[in-house]
Amino acid sequence: MKLHRSLCLVALMFLVIITSSITSVEARKHHHHKHKENKKKNNSDNKNNGDNCTVPGSSPAPPPTIPGNASYPTGSNTFDVLSFGAKDNNLQYCCNSTKQAFLTAWKAACKISGATVEIPSGFKFLIKPITLQGPCMPNLVLQINGALLAPPKVGSWPKSSLFQWINFKWIHNFTIQGSGVVDGQGSQWWTPSNQIYLIQKYLKHVPNWKPTALRFYSSFNVIVRDIKIINSPQCHLKFDSSGGIQVDNITISSPETSPNTDGIHLQNTRDVEIQHSNIGCGDDCVSIQTGCSNVHIHHINCGPGHGISLGGLGKDKSVACVSNIVVEKVSLFNTLAGVRIKTWQGGMGSVKNVSFSNIQVSDVKVPIIIDQYYCDKDICKNQTMAVALSGVKYDQIVGTYTSRPVHLACSNGIPCTDVDLTDIQLKPSFNRGLDEALCWNSYGKSQGPLYPSSIDSCVRRDGGSVKRIARSREHVCF
């Protein structure tokens, strides 16, 4: 009996040893076969879409997981675009896959409250025109710590994507922030007109319009802070049909000679605060267009550029409505204008309740401007209709100018009313410029100190008849 048990035990041990050996051999064979398959797959992936842009010496990024897949291993609410196949552009211009990686990361983050799409520092990503849209879960963040680059060649832009580069649509409770750079690489778009003609002739792909770098459409409760936006083909940051906007501590920069490169452009947008930012560009540092109200701009450094502007409003006999604008504690240097309102002849509507206060100017061509004869051509047709201007306050405008201190040119048919000038002290830079203010059909009051003295007679008293004319034009805005 004992002998039988011993024989059974020996047989069992022998069987275990044989099974283990077979399993080990099969595992090695399986591992070797899988390694060869993965190697073939990686080589194939590197050839897809002309996308040969893996950084030498680095391993390829893992393939993205389709949003909605329950097995997606997030680990946190942060979605790094590298993990979705975005390719670093430090060594060469590429890639076709990067746009898709951004879209996939965005869609995945969009489904989770409080998620972050991360552009990591130390990387550059060339990205083609893209629309990132909602609706998304609240408190979504785009963390830009690296660099985003637009296609540098005009001819490489799809004809269907020339209005904006990165377009945000239908986004609520959203933040863009970070220490990174958004680079529009717009130099080819600024080519002088004779060179543009040659490019059009030979390349046949230079359009009359140019893309905005970052554009928000129909988006609400949006914060843009800390980032840097440079060299946009046209406007750098645009908000259209949006509301509840906060812009804080951003830097916008493009050459003084870059045409139509507005810093921040507002249109049909309400409840806006722009603060603590530095803007230098080839057009208006901040441009406020029709449909805007409750806008507060403060602690801004502007220059070079065309200053802070309302308009041009009322082009092609259109209706323009702007109200409740406050611009204060702003410094402007080496700009074409300081704070200005410009409207086209023939327009309709109203601009009312606008305050410019505590404005410091340095070598500004004309610090204070109201121009109801705005024209971007050599000659424009005279028209009697105009956008009515009322309740415009200028207080504590101090510094130096290079051409003229004040330019108030109001409509013959609908003069400007309730224009107040208080504590205006402007001196010519290095004894250059005219001391005389240019004033026409502006009504309101002035209060010292005023320098030069010609400002004192710039506005006239109104017995009430002129104000009634202006008010009769405001009804179209209600």
Side-chain angles (χ1 to χ4, degrees), residues 250-265:
I250 71 168
T251 297
I252 291 176
S253 177
S254 62
E256 182 178 4
T257 55
S258 57
N260 304 118
T261 53
D262 294 52
I264 300 174
H265 185 93

Side-chain angles (χ1 to χ4, degrees), residues 28 66 160 203 211 232 324 346 438 443:
R28 284 197 298 271
I66 299 174
S160 60
L203 299 184
S232 178
N324 302 326
L438 187 153
Y443 290 81

Side-chain angles (χ1 to χ4, degrees), residues 62-80 83-84 108 112:
T65 302
I66 299 174
N69 189 335
S71 65
Y72 178 71
T74 59
S76 71
N77 287 350
T78 298
F79 297 78
D80 187 329
S83 298
F84 289 81
I112 299 176

Side-chain angles (χ1 to χ4, degrees), residues 70-266:
S71 65
Y72 178 71
T74 59
S76 71
N77 287 350
T78 298
F79 297 78
D80 187 329
V81 294
L82 287 173
S83 298
F84 289 81
K87 305 296 177 68
D88 182 24
N89 188 55
N90 274 305
L91 299 180
Q92 58 181 328
Y93 285 115
C94 56
C95 305
N96 293 330
S97 65
T98 298
K99 176 179 176 179
Q100 187 57 48
F102 275 62
L103 286 171
T104 308
W106 175 271
K107 290 176 182 178
C110 191
K111 299 176 181 293
I112 299 176
S113 180
T116 296
V117 177
E118 183 176 8
I119 314 300
S121 62
F123 294 89
K124 296 180 180 179
F125 300 99
L126 183 82
I127 182 171
K128 294 182 177 181
I130 187 172
T131 294
L132 303 172
Q133 70 181 48
C136 292
M137 296 295 287
N139 303 317
L140 179 62
V141 174
L142 177 59
Q143 184 76 28
I144 303 177
N145 291 332
L148 300 180
L149 308 177
K153 296 182 180 180
V154 172
S156 66
W157 284 70
K159 292 183 179 180
S160 60
S161 303
L162 293 173
F163 293 104
Q164 59 273 322
W165 170 32
I166 303 176
N167 184 36
F168 299 93
K169 190 175 182 181
W170 305 325
I171 307 297
H172 293 198
N173 301 307
F174 173 61
T175 297
I176 294 180
Q177 63 185 19
S179 57
V181 178
V182 178
D183 187 351
Q185 302 202 100
S187 59
Q188 277 203 6
W189 298 88
W190 312 325
T191 308
S193 57
N194 60 334
Q195 295 182 35
I196 285 227
Y197 170 76
L198 293 175
I199 295 174
Q200 287 175 323
K201 182 178 179 180
Y202 293 107
L203 299 184
K204 300 180 181 179
H205 188 62
V206 176
N208 293 325
W209 57 89
K210 305 171 187 177
T212 291
L214 298 182
R215 183 216 184 200
F216 286 87
Y217 174 75
S218 192
S219 297
F220 297 87
N221 300 323
V222 172
I223 299 172
V224 180
R225 60 188 175 204
D226 303 331
I227 64 170
K228 187 174 184 179
I229 311 171
I230 64 174
N231 298 327
S232 178
Q234 197 165 32
C235 296
H236 288 75
L237 177 60
K238 178 185 288 187
F239 296 94
D240 190 358
S241 302
S242 298
I245 306 301
Q246 295 184 46
V247 178
D248 185 15
N249 192 40
I250 71 168
T251 297
I252 291 176
S253 177
S254 62
E256 182 178 4
T257 55
S258 57
N260 304 118
T261 53
D262 294 52
I264 300 174
H265 185 93
L266 306 176

Side-chain angles (χ1 to χ4, degrees), residues 391-413:
V392 183
K393 318 295 183 185
Y394 296 93
D395 181 27
Q396 298 181 64
I397 317 294
V398 178
T400 60
Y401 63 92
T402 61
S403 180
R404 190 186 296 276
V406 175
H407 177 106
L408 303 183
C410 295
S411 167
N412 284 327

